[in-house]
Amino acid sequence: MEMPPLDPAILARRSDIVAALRAIVPGEGVIDDLDGMRPYECDALSAYRQMPMVVVLPETAAQVAAILRYCQDNKVKVVPRGGGTSLSGGSMPIGDGILLAMGKFNRVLEIDYANRCARVQPGVTNLGVTKAVEHEGFYYAPDPSSQIACSIGGNVAENSGGVHCLKYGLTTNNLLGIEMVLMNGEIVRLGGKHLDAGGYDLLGLMTGSEGLLGVVTEVTVRLLRKPSTARAVLLGFPTEAGAADCVAAVIASGIIPGGMEMMDKDATKCAEAYVGAGYPLDAEGLLIVELDGPPVEVDYLVERVADIAKGRGATTIRVSHDEQERVLFWAGRKAAFPAVGQISPDYMCLDGSVPRGKLVEVLAEMRRLSKQYGLRVVNVFHAGDGNLHPLILFDANDPDELRRCEELGADILRLCVRVGGVLTGEHGVGIEKRDLMGVQFTEIDLDQQMRVKCAFDPDHLLNPGKVFPQLRRCAELGRLVVTQNRLPFPDIPRF
Amino acid sequence: MTDCYKPRDECGLSSAIKDAATAKMPLVVRGAGSKSAMGRPLGGYAMSLTTERMRGVSLYEPTELVIGALPGTPVSEIDRMLAKHNQMLPFEPMDHRVLFGTSAEPTIGGIVAGNVSGPRRIAVGACRDSLIGVRLVTGRGDVVKSGGRVMKNVTGLDLVKLNCGAWGTLGVLSEVIFKVLPKPARSLSVGLGGMNDTTAIAALTAALGSSFAVSAAAHIPASIGSDSTTIVRLEGSDGSVAYGARELAKLWRSFGRAELIEGDESANLWLRVRDAHWLAQPMDRSIWRLSLAPSKAPHVLADIRQKLGVRYFFDWGGGLVWLAVVDADDAGASVVREAMANTGGHATLVRASSEMRHRIDVFEPLPPAVLKLTQEIKKCFDPDRVLNFGRMYAGI
C-alpha cells in the first residue's frame, strides 16, 4: 500500500512540532515516545501499520482548532482518529503527520427527550449513546458490529451502518447536527435539533467523508423509541441460493425487517463453535430475520416470513421465544468475525454492496474466484440491503498469501461494481479500497470529489493518502476550469 | 420571453451548459417551473434551461425497492408507476402548485433540487434520505455520478446529498435514483380538539416518543379552522395501526378524548397539511417555513404573534411551522428571524413578491464560515456561475 512520500523537512522539525502541540495541549495530551505511540500504529485494518510522527489527545474544541490552525500554518498533515475500529484504514497514521486522537471527547452533553435527540462528544461510543437513554425506553438506531468500541465521531466520518440500518437507515439518516473544526481552525456548527438545515447539505456531505473535510467535535443524534417487541427468526436453507431467494422474496412481499442477516455454512460453523447459539450446522445458508413493532404486528410478520421461507425450501425455522433467545440468535452473528479469526491466522473483511437480486449470482462467482485463488472465503452479510462481508482467510506471514488475498479481494469488489453495486457499503474507502476507486468512478467523477475536498482543505493536510487513488493539487484540478486559454494560478508549477 | 435550452438527454444537457459556460452566460435552470417563484428572483438572465424534455423512468425494480428517473419526469408519473406495485416515494413530497398557483406538473428533478418532503418526513426521512444516487452535469459541463442504486453505499464523498436541496446551483440533475417503500396496508388518523399550541405540541411529542407507528403529526390551531385539530397519522399493518390507535387514545387521555379519522377524510387532511393548503389564499400574503426543535415552536410562535398578524400551523410534531404574514412591509422578516435567532433553526421565505425576495434573504443567512464553504463549493462545481446564479444566496 503506497502512501504519500514522507516529507523530510517536516520530520526535521519534529521537536518544534511536538513543542508547539505541548503548548496547545498541556500535560499528558501529547505522546511522542515510541512505546506510548504503539497503540496508535494501526486501526482495525491491522495488516497495515505505521507509527505517527506524534500523537495528540485534545480535550476541547478550542484545542482542536488551535492544533489544526497550527498544522495549516505550518503545512503539517493530520490524521483524525476516533475509536480506532476502522476496517478500511481510515485512521491509519502517516509517518510525517500528527495523529489527532479524539478519545478524550467522551461525554454525553445533553439528552433531550422532548426533541428526541442527544448531544454527545465524538469520542462517546456508539453503544454509549444507547446506554445513556435506554432506561427511558429510547435508543440510537445505527448499530455497527463494533458498537462497543467505535466512536460516534468515527461513525459520522464513515457513515456507519449496522444490522438495523435496513429499516432505520445509516448514520447519515440519524444525525441532526454536528460541530466541526475546519483545517483553518474555524469552528462550524451544521444542523442542530431541527430537521433539514438550511443552505447546502453540508451535514450530509460531512457524513462519510472519512476525515478528509474536517474534525467533528460534537454530534447531535436522533433518538428513537425502542420497539415494544422484537423477535428473531432463524432460517436454515439447504442451498445458499435458497437463502438469497428468501431475502428477495421477503422484501418483495412488502416486509421491511428490522434486520436480515445471512451467513454461509463455514461462518455458521465458526459462530456456533464460538458462542453456541444453537445454529443448524447442516444449513448451507442461514438467515437471521428480526421483526420489530407492537406484539400483534410482530406475530403477524413472523408468520408471514416463516411462510415465505417454507416456500423457498427452508429446513430450519426457529422463532425466538424470549429476549434471551433473541439475543442468543444474534450473539453468533455479532461474534462472526472474531469466530472466523479462530480458524485462520488472518482474515480480510470486504464490504461490497450489490443489488439484492444479484446475491445468488455474486455468491456463485465468489466461490469460483475463491477456488481460482486457492483461498477460502467465508461469507457473513447484511443480506437485507445487499451489503456483503466476505472474509478472505489467509496467513499474513506468507507474503504470497497476502498478495493473493489482496488480488482476490479486488476481484470480488470489481465483481460487485460490475453487477451494479459499489466498493463499500459501510466500512469506507480508506486506504483499503483507495486504489480501486477507478473501477467505480470515472476520472471526472473523482476530480469533482477532489474539488470538494479542496474547498475544505486546499493543501491536502487532512487525512492525506486516503480515499483518492492519486492526489492532485487543488490548483491542478482548477486547471480543468480553464476555458479561453486563461490559466489560473500561473505561478504554480504543473506536473 | 427568454430563450431556452431544452435538451433531450444528458449529452445535450452537457453541451448546452458548456456553451453557456464558454459564453459566461448565466442560465435560469428549471424543471416544469412549478416552483419558479421560489428563491431569489433571477430576472435579467437572457437564457434559461429546462429539463422537462428529459423524461421517463430509467430503472424500476419493484422487488428491489428502487426507482430511477430522468429529471423532467412528472412526479405523478412516478407515483402512478409505483402505485401499480403498491409502493410509494417514502418522503411524501409537497406539491407547491397549491401555494404558487402554478399549473405545470412538478418534476422529480425539481423535487430533488428543493429537497422537497412532506409530513412523513419525521418517520422515514426527507427526500435526501431516500435519494441514493444521482447523475448530474456541473457548471463545467462535466457529467458526474455519485451514489448508485444500492441501499448501502459509502464510496467517496456524498455528492448526492450535497446536490439535494441545492436548487440547481451546483449541477443540473440528469438522473435521480430513490429507494422506495411498500405502501402501508392501513393508514388512519387520531385527532384531539380544542387544544392551545403548547398543549398540542406536548400531545404530539408524547405520540412521537411512543412506538405506535406514527408517520405524521400536525397541529392546526383554531385561527385556521373553526376549532383546533391536533392529529397524528398511524401507518402500517392492520394490526399495528389498530393497536397504535388504541394505545394512543390511552396515552392521550389526559389531553382529551381522541377521535379516529379514517379513509378519504384522513387522506385529504394530510394532503392539506402537506401542501400548506390553509395558507394558500389570499395569494398576496408572504409565506414562511420555519424548521426548529419542536419544543421551541410554541414559544417562537407566541413571540411572533405578539408583533405580527399571522396565520400558521405546525407539521412534523411542531418541528415545522408554516406561517402566512398578513401585513408587513418586510414580509415579517425582521420579526420572524429575530424570533428564530436563538432556536438554532432556520426560516425560509417560501412565497413573496419578487421585489420582496430581492430585498430580503429568502434562505436563512449563513454564518461567515459556512458562507465561505458554500462559496468555495459553488466555485468548484460552477466556476463560471452559470447555474441558477444567485437563486439561493447573493453570489452563490
Side-chain angles (χ1 to χ4, degrees), chain B residues 53 103 111 130 137 152 185 219 251 276 297 335 363 391:
Chain B
R53 284 194 184 165
S103 57
I111 296 294
S130 290
V137 179
K152 272 166 90 176
H219 172 61
L251 183 73
V335 171
F363 294 93
R391 182 154 186 196

Side-chain angles (χ1 to χ4, degrees), chain A residues 61 109-110 118-121 176-182 186-194 197-198 200-203 206 215-221, chain B residues 343-345 365-371 373-374:
Chain A
L109 299 172
E110 182 194 1
R119 211 157 52 79
V120 303
Q121 291 190 315
L176 291 174
I178 57 172
E179 177 194 80
M180 64 186 265
V181 184
L182 300 174
E186 279 181 299
I187 300 177
V188 174
R189 292 194 82 89
L190 302 173
K193 291 182 178 178
H194 56 288
Y200 292 154
D201 189 355
L202 300 182
L203 182 61
M206 271 300 293
V215 176
V216 174
T217 47
E218 188 188 302
V219 184
T220 305
V221 297
Chain B
T343 65
L366 301 171
V370 177
L371 178 62
L373 283 177
T374 303

Side-chain angles (χ1 to χ4, degrees), chain A residues 284-328:
Chain A
E284 290 289 334
L286 182 74
L287 294 182
I288 308 173
V289 184
E290 180 159 296
L291 300 151
D292 60 14
V296 277
E297 163 113 339
V298 174
D299 289 347
Y300 165 75
L301 292 176
V302 163
E303 214 165 286
R304 281 190 62 194
V305 167
D307 278 346
I308 293 169
K310 254 179 238 157
R312 298 292 186 286
T315 45
T316 301
I317 299 177
R318 282 175 50 202
V319 182
S320 66
H321 287 99
D322 51 28
E323 186 58 14
Q324 201 184 345
E325 194 174 17
R326 183 187 75 85
V327 171
L328 185 64

Side-chain angles (χ1 to χ4, degrees), chain A residues 3-4 43 68 76-81 86 88-94 97-100 157-158 183 209-215 429-431 434 453 457 459-468 471:
Chain A
M3 293 301 285
D43 53 25
L68 293 187
V76 180
K77 295 166 188 159
V78 186
V79 175
R81 174 182 165 116
S86 170
S88 56
S91 52
M92 192 188 79
I94 48 178
I98 291 171
L99 188 78
L100 184 68
E158 302 291 332
M183 199 57 219
S209 61
E210 305 199 20
L212 264 65
L213 305 183
V215 176
V429 177
I431 53 168
R434 184 192 70 186
K453 154 80 171 167
D457 174 23
D459 296 312
H460 285 308
L461 295 173
L462 256 180
N463 220 4
K466 316 288 172 72
V467 181
F468 298 119
L471 278 187

Side-chain angles (χ1 to χ4, degrees), chain A residues 37-275:
Chain A
M37 294 197 298
R38 187 71 62 198
Y40 299 96
E41 72 171 344
C42 69
D43 53 25
L45 186 70
S46 55
Y48 304 102
R49 287 163 195 268
Q50 167 68 54
M51 287 295 266
M53 180 167 63
V54 52
V55 177
V56 57
L57 293 105
E59 290 182 61
T60 65
Q63 287 177 352
V64 173
I67 293 167
L68 293 187
R69 200 176 308 119
Y70 170 82
C71 290
Q72 175 69 59
D73 291 346
N74 293 277
K75 303 289 177 269
V76 180
K77 295 166 188 159
V78 186
V79 175
R81 174 182 165 116
T85 56
S86 170
L87 290 164
S88 56
S91 52
M92 192 188 79
I94 48 178
D96 57 350
I98 291 171
L99 188 78
L100 184 68
M102 298 297 286
K104 291 192 175 173
F105 283 77
N106 58 5
R107 283 182 306 133
V108 173
L109 299 172
E110 182 194 1
I111 295 168
D112 181 347
Y113 293 111
N115 293 308
R116 298 171 296 284
C117 62
R119 211 157 52 79
V120 303
Q121 291 190 315
V124 172
T125 61
N126 171 289
L127 193 60
V129 179
T130 292
K131 288 278 178 214
V133 297
E134 64 185 359
H135 62 283
E136 291 285 340
F138 285 86
Y139 77 117
Y140 174 59
D143 57 342
S145 301
S146 56
Q147 67 183 148
I148 298 173
C150 66
S151 70
I152 283 291
N155 287 180
V156 174
E158 302 291 332
N159 189 15
S160 308
V163 297
H164 286 96
C165 60
L166 173 58
K167 186 168 177 180
Y168 298 102
L170 301 152
T171 302
T172 191
N173 312 113
N174 288 279
L175 276 188
L176 291 174
I178 57 172
E179 177 194 80
M180 64 186 265
V181 184
L182 300 174
M183 199 57 219
N184 63 10
E186 279 181 299
I187 300 177
V188 174
R189 292 194 82 89
L190 302 173
K193 291 182 178 178
H194 56 288
L195 298 170
D196 302 335
Y200 292 154
D201 189 355
L202 300 182
L203 182 61
L205 175 66
M206 271 300 293
T207 313
S209 61
E210 305 199 20
L212 264 65
L213 305 183
V215 176
V216 174
T217 47
E218 188 188 302
V219 184
T220 305
V221 297
R222 197 166 70 114
L223 300 175
L224 295 181
R225 169 68 69 176
K226 242 186 154 50
S228 50
T229 323
R231 290 168 80 186
V233 190
L234 268 191
L235 303 168
F237 292 83
T239 61
E240 282 182 347
D245 273 348
C246 183
V247 170
V250 168
I251 298 285
S253 76
I255 299 171
I256 310 286
M260 182 147 59
E261 300 284 308
M262 181 164 162
M263 291 192 274
D264 69 6
K265 192 174 190 171
D266 284 344
T268 306
K269 266 195 214 155
C270 292
E272 182 59 21
Y274 199 63
V275 300

